Amino acid sequence: MKKTSLILAVLATGIIITTFSCKKKTETIVEEKIVYQTPPPGPPTLYTRLGGINPITLVVDKFINNCATNSFIGSRFSSTAADPNRLQVFRYNLIDQVCEGSGGPCKYKGKTMLQAHTGMNITGAEFDTLVVQLVKAMNTYSVPTQEQNDLAAILLPMKTDIVGH
Ligand code: HEM
């Protein structure tokens, strides 16, 4: 009888502890609320129309791959592609650049386009080939024409800082 009481007491304590800790866990989860930001007034930014950071990342990754495997400009990116750390920095810089340029919440921390490309003597034909790789990447993910044109309008003016330096 005494033994049974002891077993019951142990079981009861276990149940109380389990209930208590379960309750605590539940309360913690309830406290972790997602805070949704109020969208800015006015028409949606290009960033929003592109679908935000995930679609931008997909397009940038495809774009880098297209460039690195292109027969005309691929050799320009061979050192970058061969070094995983360098490739990752380049990738993040491009993502930030597109994200910030399209009105998103990122901050580009890389070099200016003039600094980044000086000494490379990039030709107009190479620049145009790179743009084709971007268009191909956007087509891969069915980016609509309007958004393609809007992104091109942000990047194309950089040509003067990239070509011939
Ligand atoms: C609108 C066109 C272009 C944009 C937006 C662009 C953007 C960038 C950015 C953001 C960087 C990284 C800067 C940094 O490291 O701080 C970079 C580096 C570089 N770009 Fe461009 N670029 C363009 C055109 C080109 C072209 C036409 C070529 C050659 C065909 C080229 C070749 C390179 C190379 C080789 C690097 C160095 C990558 C590394 O750090 O390993 N870029 N570019």
Side-chain angles (χ1 to χ4, degrees):
M1 187 67 177
K2 237 181 165 187
K3 206 175 169 190
T4 318
S5 308
L6 187 66
I7 291 167
L8 283 174
V10 169
L11 281 176
T13 314
I15 289 165
I16 289 164
I17 289 169
T18 313
T19 312
F20 182 71
S21 50
C22 283
K23 201 170 176 237
K24 263 203 107 176
K25 269 184 199 154
T26 312
E27 279 166 1
T28 312
I29 291 164
V30 169
E31 278 162 18
E32 285 173 12
K33 273 185 279 181
I34 299 170
V35 180
Y36 292 97
Q37 290 180 334
T38 317
T45 59
L46 174 59
Y47 174 81
T48 302
R49 287 185 282 123
L50 286 169
I53 201 68
N54 290 338
I56 288 175
T57 302
L58 285 174
V59 168
V60 167
D61 283 343
K62 185 74 185 160
F63 167 60
I64 292 174
N65 205 270
N66 290 349
C67 287
T69 56
N70 181 267
S71 58
F72 186 48
I73 60 169
S75 60
R76 290 283 195 179
F77 299 93
S78 51
S79 307
T80 313
D83 179 343
N85 291 329
R86 189 170 160 182
L87 182 63
Q88 197 64 280
V89 173
F90 179 54
R91 175 176 180 258
Y92 281 133
N93 275 330
L94 283 173
I95 293 167
D96 281 344
Q97 191 181 41
V98 173
C99 170
E100 183 179 2
S102 62
C106 315
K107 182 91 195 94
Y108 175 68
K109 302 169 219 66
K111 297 171 188 159
T112 64
M113 288 300 91
L114 186 59
Q115 285 169 346
H117 302 92
T118 292
M120 292 187 195
N121 267 308
I122 292 169
T123 65
E126 286 180 305
F127 184 90
D128 295 346
T129 304
L130 178 130
V131 173
V132 171
Q133 306 318 305
L134 177 62
V135 172
K136 279 185 180 171
M138 291 193 286
N139 283 335
T140 299
Y141 293 105
S142 307
V143 175
T145 310
Q146 181 65 58
E147 281 66 36
Q148 292 205 16
N149 290 339
D150 290 350
L151 186 57
I154 292 166
L155 300 179
L156 292 185
M158 297 174 181
K159 186 172 185 175
T160 51
D161 282 343
I162 293 169
V163 168
H165 299 283

